mmCIF file of all heavy atoms in Angstrom:
data_model
loop_
_atom_site.group_PDB
_atom_site.id
_atom_site.type_symbol
_atom_site.label_atom_id
_atom_site.label_comp_id
_atom_site.label_asym_id
_atom_site.label_seq_id
_atom_site.Cartn_x
_atom_site.Cartn_y
_atom_site.Cartn_z
ATOM 1 N N ILE A 569 0.672 2.581 -10.025
ATOM 2 C CA ILE A 569 0.530 2.765 -8.599
ATOM 3 C C ILE A 569 -0.581 1.811 -8.077
ATOM 4 O O ILE A 569 -0.445 1.231 -7.021
ATOM 5 C CB ILE A 569 0.182 4.175 -8.251
ATOM 6 C CG1 ILE A 569 1.350 5.171 -8.478
ATOM 7 C CG2 ILE A 569 -0.273 4.408 -6.820
ATOM 8 C CD1 ILE A 569 2.545 4.972 -7.621
ATOM 9 N N LYS A 570 -1.690 1.689 -8.826
ATOM 10 C CA LYS A 570 -2.747 0.760 -8.439
ATOM 11 C C LYS A 570 -2.157 -0.631 -8.293
ATOM 12 O O LYS A 570 -2.568 -1.405 -7.382
ATOM 13 C CB LYS A 570 -3.878 0.745 -9.383
ATOM 14 C CG LYS A 570 -4.814 1.931 -9.246
ATOM 15 C CD LYS A 570 -5.947 1.849 -10.234
ATOM 16 C CE LYS A 570 -6.841 3.011 -10.205
ATOM 17 N NZ LYS A 570 -7.920 2.904 -11.231
ATOM 18 N N ASP A 571 -1.369 -1.062 -9.270
ATOM 19 C CA ASP A 571 -0.781 -2.391 -9.236
ATOM 20 C C ASP A 571 0.159 -2.552 -8.064
ATOM 21 O O ASP A 571 0.134 -3.661 -7.403
ATOM 22 C CB ASP A 571 0.029 -2.679 -10.507
ATOM 23 C CG ASP A 571 -0.844 -2.915 -11.713
ATOM 24 O OD1 ASP A 571 -2.082 -3.221 -11.550
ATOM 25 O OD2 ASP A 571 -0.331 -2.865 -12.844
ATOM 26 N N VAL A 572 0.979 -1.554 -7.704
ATOM 27 C CA VAL A 572 1.815 -1.660 -6.565
ATOM 28 C C VAL A 572 1.031 -1.824 -5.272
ATOM 29 O O VAL A 572 1.351 -2.651 -4.476
ATOM 30 C CB VAL A 572 2.758 -0.369 -6.495
ATOM 31 C CG1 VAL A 572 3.512 -0.295 -5.125
ATOM 32 C CG2 VAL A 572 3.769 -0.347 -7.663
ATOM 33 N N ILE A 573 -0.023 -0.982 -5.112
ATOM 34 C CA ILE A 573 -0.835 -1.091 -3.937
ATOM 35 C C ILE A 573 -1.450 -2.502 -3.814
ATOM 36 O O ILE A 573 -1.469 -3.103 -2.777
ATOM 37 C CB ILE A 573 -1.901 -0.006 -3.905
ATOM 38 C CG1 ILE A 573 -1.270 1.351 -3.748
ATOM 39 C CG2 ILE A 573 -2.960 -0.255 -2.884
ATOM 40 C CD1 ILE A 573 -2.115 2.552 -3.915
ATOM 41 N N GLN A 574 -1.985 -2.992 -4.922
ATOM 42 C CA GLN A 574 -2.664 -4.251 -4.929
ATOM 43 C C GLN A 574 -1.670 -5.388 -4.623
ATOM 44 O O GLN A 574 -2.002 -6.315 -3.815
ATOM 45 C CB GLN A 574 -3.235 -4.581 -6.322
ATOM 46 C CG GLN A 574 -3.996 -5.822 -6.406
ATOM 47 C CD GLN A 574 -5.316 -5.795 -5.505
ATOM 48 O OE1 GLN A 574 -5.918 -4.784 -5.259
ATOM 49 N NE2 GLN A 574 -5.606 -6.933 -4.859
ATOM 50 N N ARG A 575 -0.443 -5.315 -5.138
ATOM 51 C CA ARG A 575 0.530 -6.332 -4.743
ATOM 52 C C ARG A 575 1.003 -6.276 -3.354
ATOM 53 O O ARG A 575 1.276 -7.378 -2.764
ATOM 54 C CB ARG A 575 1.766 -6.185 -5.764
ATOM 55 C CG ARG A 575 1.338 -6.641 -7.109
ATOM 56 C CD ARG A 575 2.437 -6.537 -8.125
ATOM 57 N NE ARG A 575 1.748 -6.833 -9.422
ATOM 58 C CZ ARG A 575 2.424 -7.116 -10.520
ATOM 59 N NH1 ARG A 575 3.734 -7.165 -10.493
ATOM 60 N NH2 ARG A 575 1.796 -7.340 -11.645
ATOM 61 N N ILE A 576 1.043 -5.109 -2.768
ATOM 62 C CA ILE A 576 1.423 -5.003 -1.418
ATOM 63 C C ILE A 576 0.347 -5.655 -0.565
ATOM 64 O O ILE A 576 0.663 -6.469 0.336
ATOM 65 C CB ILE A 576 1.609 -3.479 -0.976
ATOM 66 C CG1 ILE A 576 2.886 -2.920 -1.608
ATOM 67 C CG2 ILE A 576 1.656 -3.391 0.581
ATOM 68 C CD1 ILE A 576 2.976 -1.410 -1.378
ATOM 69 N N ILE A 577 -0.889 -5.367 -0.836
ATOM 70 C CA ILE A 577 -2.004 -5.972 -0.098
ATOM 71 C C ILE A 577 -2.033 -7.476 -0.282
ATOM 72 O O ILE A 577 -2.164 -8.174 0.709
ATOM 73 C CB ILE A 577 -3.353 -5.330 -0.522
ATOM 74 C CG1 ILE A 577 -3.379 -3.841 -0.103
ATOM 75 C CG2 ILE A 577 -4.485 -6.103 -0.010
ATOM 76 C CD1 ILE A 577 -4.544 -3.077 -0.697
ATOM 77 N N GLU A 578 -1.851 -7.980 -1.483
ATOM 78 C CA GLU A 578 -1.829 -9.436 -1.736
ATOM 79 C C GLU A 578 -0.695 -10.120 -1.065
ATOM 80 O O GLU A 578 -0.767 -11.247 -0.601
ATOM 81 C CB GLU A 578 -1.820 -9.758 -3.230
ATOM 82 C CG GLU A 578 -3.158 -9.379 -3.928
ATOM 83 C CD GLU A 578 -3.042 -9.488 -5.427
ATOM 84 O OE1 GLU A 578 -2.029 -9.730 -6.021
ATOM 85 O OE2 GLU A 578 -4.124 -9.256 -6.072
ATOM 86 N N SER A 579 0.488 -9.433 -1.020
ATOM 87 C CA SER A 579 1.674 -10.049 -0.459
ATOM 88 C C SER A 579 1.693 -10.043 1.066
ATOM 89 O O SER A 579 2.417 -10.885 1.675
ATOM 90 C CB SER A 579 2.943 -9.312 -0.898
ATOM 91 O OG SER A 579 3.010 -9.314 -2.285
ATOM 92 N N HIS A 580 0.888 -9.195 1.666
ATOM 93 C CA HIS A 580 0.861 -9.067 3.130
ATOM 94 C C HIS A 580 -0.595 -8.985 3.631
ATOM 95 O O HIS A 580 -0.943 -8.012 4.331
ATOM 96 C CB HIS A 580 1.615 -7.844 3.596
ATOM 97 C CG HIS A 580 2.962 -7.794 3.052
ATOM 98 N ND1 HIS A 580 4.098 -8.438 3.630
ATOM 99 C CD2 HIS A 580 3.554 -7.129 1.994
ATOM 100 C CE1 HIS A 580 5.161 -8.246 2.952
ATOM 101 N NE2 HIS A 580 4.901 -7.475 1.907
ATOM 102 N N PRO A 581 -1.364 -9.975 3.303
ATOM 103 C CA PRO A 581 -2.846 -9.868 3.657
ATOM 104 C C PRO A 581 -3.124 -9.856 5.197
ATOM 105 O O PRO A 581 -4.086 -9.260 5.609
ATOM 106 C CB PRO A 581 -3.445 -11.139 3.109
ATOM 107 C CG PRO A 581 -2.308 -12.128 3.012
ATOM 108 C CD PRO A 581 -1.088 -11.292 2.746
ATOM 109 N N ASP A 582 -2.201 -10.360 6.028
ATOM 110 C CA ASP A 582 -2.428 -10.387 7.447
ATOM 111 C C ASP A 582 -1.521 -9.405 8.165
ATOM 112 O O ASP A 582 -1.458 -9.486 9.427
ATOM 113 C CB ASP A 582 -2.260 -11.746 7.970
ATOM 114 C CG ASP A 582 -3.233 -12.731 7.339
ATOM 115 O OD1 ASP A 582 -4.375 -12.345 7.109
ATOM 116 O OD2 ASP A 582 -2.892 -13.911 7.007
ATOM 117 N N ASP A 583 -0.788 -8.621 7.493
ATOM 118 C CA ASP A 583 0.199 -7.717 8.132
ATOM 119 C C ASP A 583 -0.323 -6.293 8.130
ATOM 120 O O ASP A 583 -0.021 -5.452 7.131
ATOM 121 C CB ASP A 583 1.556 -7.811 7.366
ATOM 122 C CG ASP A 583 2.615 -7.159 8.196
ATOM 123 O OD1 ASP A 583 2.372 -6.412 9.125
ATOM 124 O OD2 ASP A 583 3.824 -7.353 7.760
ATOM 125 N N LEU A 584 -1.018 -5.892 9.187
ATOM 126 C CA LEU A 584 -1.569 -4.511 9.245
ATOM 127 C C LEU A 584 -0.511 -3.435 9.340
ATOM 128 O O LEU A 584 -0.709 -2.289 8.974
ATOM 129 C CB LEU A 584 -2.553 -4.404 10.388
ATOM 130 C CG LEU A 584 -3.898 -5.155 10.234
ATOM 131 C CD1 LEU A 584 -4.747 -5.011 11.431
ATOM 132 C CD2 LEU A 584 -4.610 -4.667 9.001
ATOM 133 N N ASP A 585 0.695 -3.819 9.849
ATOM 134 C CA ASP A 585 1.749 -2.836 9.966
ATOM 135 C C ASP A 585 2.161 -2.368 8.563
ATOM 136 O O ASP A 585 2.525 -1.171 8.409
ATOM 137 C CB ASP A 585 2.925 -3.450 10.703
ATOM 138 C CG ASP A 585 2.682 -3.668 12.166
ATOM 139 O OD1 ASP A 585 1.778 -2.986 12.697
ATOM 140 O OD2 ASP A 585 3.324 -4.538 12.762
ATOM 141 N N ILE A 586 2.142 -3.215 7.614
ATOM 142 C CA ILE A 586 2.474 -2.847 6.224
ATOM 143 C C ILE A 586 1.446 -1.825 5.686
ATOM 144 O O ILE A 586 1.765 -0.815 5.147
ATOM 145 C CB ILE A 586 2.591 -4.022 5.279
ATOM 146 C CG1 ILE A 586 3.756 -4.971 5.684
ATOM 147 C CG2 ILE A 586 2.640 -3.637 3.769
ATOM 148 C CD1 ILE A 586 5.110 -4.387 5.405
ATOM 149 N N ILE A 587 0.179 -2.172 5.938
ATOM 150 C CA ILE A 587 -0.919 -1.344 5.455
ATOM 151 C C ILE A 587 -0.863 0.013 6.068
ATOM 152 O O ILE A 587 -1.305 1.050 5.548
ATOM 153 C CB ILE A 587 -2.308 -2.043 5.679
ATOM 154 C CG1 ILE A 587 -2.329 -3.437 5.005
ATOM 155 C CG2 ILE A 587 -3.456 -1.200 5.137
ATOM 156 C CD1 ILE A 587 -2.042 -3.455 3.554
ATOM 157 N N LYS A 588 -0.440 0.061 7.345
ATOM 158 C CA LYS A 588 -0.420 1.314 8.123
ATOM 159 C C LYS A 588 0.944 2.080 7.937
ATOM 160 O O LYS A 588 1.118 3.139 8.500
ATOM 161 C CB LYS A 588 -0.569 1.048 9.619
ATOM 162 C CG LYS A 588 -1.988 0.521 9.937
ATOM 163 C CD LYS A 588 -2.111 0.229 11.417
ATOM 164 C CE LYS A 588 -3.452 -0.331 11.760
ATOM 165 N NZ LYS A 588 -3.582 -0.642 13.181
ATOM 166 N N SER A 589 1.827 1.489 7.171
ATOM 167 C CA SER A 589 3.198 2.044 7.027
ATOM 168 C C SER A 589 3.190 3.381 6.216
ATOM 169 O O SER A 589 2.279 3.654 5.451
ATOM 170 C CB SER A 589 4.117 1.061 6.366
ATOM 171 O OG SER A 589 3.854 1.001 4.982
ATOM 172 N N GLU A 590 4.177 4.149 6.434
ATOM 173 C CA GLU A 590 4.352 5.455 5.738
ATOM 174 C C GLU A 590 4.514 5.119 4.217
ATOM 175 O O GLU A 590 3.960 5.983 3.442
ATOM 176 C CB GLU A 590 5.584 6.195 6.298
ATOM 177 C CG GLU A 590 5.744 7.589 5.768
ATOM 178 C CD GLU A 590 4.504 8.519 6.098
ATOM 179 O OE1 GLU A 590 3.978 8.378 7.175
ATOM 180 O OE2 GLU A 590 4.190 9.274 5.269
ATOM 181 N N THR A 591 5.255 4.140 3.896
ATOM 182 C CA THR A 591 5.427 3.855 2.420
ATOM 183 C C THR A 591 4.062 3.488 1.774
ATOM 184 O O THR A 591 3.789 4.059 0.715
ATOM 185 C CB THR A 591 6.362 2.638 2.318
ATOM 186 O OG1 THR A 591 7.600 3.011 2.911
ATOM 187 C CG2 THR A 591 6.579 2.353 0.800
ATOM 188 N N PHE A 592 3.239 2.738 2.427
ATOM 189 C CA PHE A 592 1.977 2.394 1.822
ATOM 190 C C PHE A 592 1.096 3.638 1.774
ATOM 191 O O PHE A 592 0.458 3.891 0.731
ATOM 192 C CB PHE A 592 1.252 1.352 2.686
ATOM 193 C CG PHE A 592 -0.015 0.793 2.117
ATOM 194 C CD1 PHE A 592 0.074 -0.164 1.090
ATOM 195 C CD2 PHE A 592 -1.255 1.248 2.484
ATOM 196 C CE1 PHE A 592 -1.092 -0.623 0.523
ATOM 197 C CE2 PHE A 592 -2.415 0.780 1.893
ATOM 198 C CZ PHE A 592 -2.317 -0.163 0.907
ATOM 199 N N ARG A 593 1.117 4.470 2.748
ATOM 200 C CA ARG A 593 0.325 5.758 2.719
ATOM 201 C C ARG A 593 0.812 6.586 1.549
ATOM 202 O O ARG A 593 0.035 7.349 0.949
ATOM 203 C CB ARG A 593 0.366 6.440 4.037
ATOM 204 C CG ARG A 593 -0.657 5.886 4.988
ATOM 205 C CD ARG A 593 -0.815 6.791 6.202
ATOM 206 N NE ARG A 593 -0.389 5.913 7.353
ATOM 207 C CZ ARG A 593 0.435 6.252 8.280
ATOM 208 N NH1 ARG A 593 0.960 7.444 8.331
ATOM 209 N NH2 ARG A 593 0.683 5.353 9.243
ATOM 210 N N MET A 594 2.149 6.658 1.351
ATOM 211 C CA MET A 594 2.706 7.479 0.304
ATOM 212 C C MET A 594 2.159 6.984 -1.097
ATOM 213 O O MET A 594 1.725 7.783 -1.915
ATOM 214 C CB MET A 594 4.242 7.356 0.293
ATOM 215 C CG MET A 594 4.901 8.166 -0.852
ATOM 216 S SD MET A 594 6.567 7.623 -1.093
ATOM 217 C CE MET A 594 6.401 5.975 -1.684
ATOM 218 N N TYR A 595 2.141 5.623 -1.323
ATOM 219 C CA TYR A 595 1.580 5.094 -2.541
ATOM 220 C C TYR A 595 0.080 5.449 -2.646
ATOM 221 O O TYR A 595 -0.348 5.792 -3.735
ATOM 222 C CB TYR A 595 1.768 3.591 -2.603
ATOM 223 C CG TYR A 595 3.155 3.195 -3.050
ATOM 224 C CD1 TYR A 595 3.975 2.459 -2.196
ATOM 225 C CD2 TYR A 595 3.627 3.548 -4.348
ATOM 226 C CE1 TYR A 595 5.306 2.034 -2.629
ATOM 227 C CE2 TYR A 595 4.897 3.196 -4.737
ATOM 228 C CZ TYR A 595 5.722 2.435 -3.915
ATOM 229 O OH TYR A 595 6.951 2.089 -4.279
ATOM 230 N N GLN A 596 -0.660 5.336 -1.573
ATOM 231 C CA GLN A 596 -2.096 5.704 -1.634
ATOM 232 C C GLN A 596 -2.281 7.142 -2.002
ATOM 233 O O GLN A 596 -3.089 7.490 -2.865
ATOM 234 C CB GLN A 596 -2.731 5.393 -0.308
ATOM 235 C CG GLN A 596 -3.061 3.954 -0.067
ATOM 236 C CD GLN A 596 -3.825 3.770 1.232
ATOM 237 O OE1 GLN A 596 -3.407 4.305 2.280
ATOM 238 N NE2 GLN A 596 -4.968 3.091 1.198
ATOM 239 N N LYS A 597 -1.505 8.013 -1.414
ATOM 240 C CA LYS A 597 -1.626 9.465 -1.686
ATOM 241 C C LYS A 597 -1.274 9.738 -3.102
ATOM 242 O O LYS A 597 -1.940 10.453 -3.807
ATOM 243 C CB LYS A 597 -0.663 10.258 -0.732
ATOM 244 C CG LYS A 597 -0.693 11.753 -0.893
ATOM 245 C CD LYS A 597 0.177 12.439 0.127
ATOM 246 C CE LYS A 597 0.075 13.891 0.066
ATOM 247 N NZ LYS A 597 0.821 14.541 -0.998
ATOM 248 N N GLU A 598 -0.199 9.123 -3.581
ATOM 249 C CA GLU A 598 0.233 9.301 -4.963
ATOM 250 C C GLU A 598 -0.939 8.826 -5.946
ATOM 251 O O GLU A 598 -1.244 9.391 -6.934
ATOM 252 C CB GLU A 598 1.500 8.508 -5.286
ATOM 253 C CG GLU A 598 2.036 8.657 -6.617
ATOM 254 C CD GLU A 598 2.756 9.980 -6.899
ATOM 255 O OE1 GLU A 598 3.037 10.677 -5.994
ATOM 256 O OE2 GLU A 598 2.948 10.268 -8.129
ATOM 257 N N GLY A 599 -1.502 7.664 -5.602
ATOM 258 C CA GLY A 599 -2.585 7.136 -6.422
ATOM 259 C C GLY A 599 -3.800 8.027 -6.471
ATOM 260 O O GLY A 599 -4.391 8.272 -7.527
ATOM 261 N N VAL A 600 -4.132 8.636 -5.316
ATOM 262 C CA VAL A 600 -5.263 9.556 -5.264
ATOM 263 C C VAL A 600 -4.982 10.814 -6.121
ATOM 264 O O VAL A 600 -5.837 11.224 -6.912
ATOM 265 C CB VAL A 600 -5.648 9.909 -3.848
ATOM 266 C CG1 VAL A 600 -6.565 11.088 -3.757
ATOM 267 C CG2 VAL A 600 -6.188 8.735 -3.096
ATOM 268 N N GLU A 601 -3.794 11.303 -6.035
ATOM 269 C CA GLU A 601 -3.444 12.480 -6.758
ATOM 270 C C GLU A 601 -3.413 12.174 -8.319
ATOM 271 O O GLU A 601 -3.885 13.032 -9.045
ATOM 272 C CB GLU A 601 -2.050 13.007 -6.298
ATOM 273 C CG GLU A 601 -2.111 13.640 -4.913
ATOM 274 C CD GLU A 601 -0.713 13.950 -4.310
ATOM 275 O OE1 GLU A 601 0.297 13.588 -4.937
ATOM 276 O OE2 GLU A 601 -0.687 14.482 -3.185
#
């Protein structure tokens, strides 16, 4: 999960919509859990 989050961030460094997306939040939540 950490790798997925890191790759999303690296692939879309200037796209805040990706970072604010439901999918990204889902990965973050899963990572925290």
